[in-house]
Amino acid sequence: VWASDDDTFEKLFNEWVELVLPEKFKSKNASETTKKLIENHALELWRNIPADKITSQMVAKLLHNAKKLKGDEPLSAATKHKLLSGLNSVFVSGKNWGYLNTNPCEGIQLQSPPKISYKTWNIKQLNIYLDSIKNSKYYVPIFILATTGMRRGEVLGLQWQDFQNDCLVLRRAKD
């Protein structure tokens, strides 16, 4: 178990970034977002604190007081969940590596993010829209987005060789 005052949260975080972060997230964007959240909130506060001295109360306070970087508005519930998930991964790794006895994120409950309900077009409305843009250079990507459920980055990553035997094969995505 870590016992030295040199074994700071920053040291644990840096090891996590090197060894766990690249494996944990499928997309570079999600990985970078989580890393930045932890850097901007936890690392700023806990950089030189021994990792095994960080308590559940400190994590709860961090989440309660976290503000958006621009302005004084609190982080959204969804962003707090991302931050807690990232911190939990850091501390789980520290515990698994034998650096910590406990994970200070265990037992922390956050308010659930609000459920978002989306209004979507029906088939008739979609066809009217697609018909109105049929001469646009964006028709094909918009048609693919509207009819497949693919994400924007997945459509932007498509190449002609991805169309095979009347099938579309997803091989890559753009961030």
Side-chain angles (χ1 to χ4, degrees):
V1 175
W2 279 359
S4 164
D5 285 344
D6 295 335
D7 298 325
T8 61
F9 176 76
E10 181 176 31
K11 182 178 177 182
L12 174 59
F13 174 71
N14 288 336
E15 283 190 41
W16 177 81
V17 166
E18 179 184 342
L19 301 172
V20 177
L21 187 64
E23 303 297 323
K24 182 165 177 63
F25 296 97
K26 291 179 174 71
S27 87
K28 185 179 177 184
N29 192 30
S31 166
E32 211 38 52
T33 298
T34 302
K35 180 181 173 209
K36 287 287 181 204
L37 275 171
I38 296 171
E39 285 174 344
N40 292 333
H41 297 283
L43 193 59
E44 288 299 312
L45 282 176
W46 303 335
R47 180 179 309 278
N48 298 314
I49 295 176
D52 62 348
K53 300 292 185 218
I54 295 172
T55 65
S56 292
Q57 184 180 15
M58 291 167 71
V59 174
K61 251 185 205 178
L62 167 89
L63 293 166
H64 178 74
N65 294 326
K67 307 272 189 228
K68 291 183 179 178
L69 294 181
K70 295 178 182 174
D72 200 31
E73 194 175 324
L75 292 182
S76 71
T79 303
K80 286 181 182 183
H81 276 273
K82 286 179 191 169
L83 177 55
L84 178 59
S85 175
L87 287 171
N88 186 57
S89 179
V90 171
F91 290 118
V92 164
S93 297
K95 192 173 173 185
N96 289 343
W97 296 331
Y99 297 158
L100 307 170
N101 290 321
T102 60
N103 173 355
C105 293
E106 285 178 5
I108 292 184
Q109 300 291 318
L110 291 177
Q111 184 180 25
S112 296
K115 299 233 187 257
I116 300 171
S117 70
Y118 297 97
K119 282 188 151 191
T120 58
W121 289 336
N122 62 36
I123 294 294
K124 183 178 178 182
Q125 292 167 320
L126 177 61
N127 284 331
I128 290 169
Y129 175 71
L130 290 173
D131 192 48
S132 74
I133 64 162
K134 66 183 171 197
N135 295 321
S136 167
K137 66 181 179 179
Y138 302 111
Y139 178 81
V140 171
I142 290 173
F143 180 84
I144 293 169
L145 282 168
T147 58
T148 65
M150 291 173 65
R151 296 181 180 107
R152 179 183 58 210
E154 294 167 339
V155 172
L156 292 174
L158 288 174
Q159 297 177 358
W160 283 112
Q161 69 245 27
D162 298 333
F163 296 92
Q164 300 173 349
N165 302 329
D166 294 329
C167 290
L168 183 59
V169 180
L170 183 60
R171 295 193 172 103
R172 74 200 65 71
K174 298 266 186 191
D175 282 334

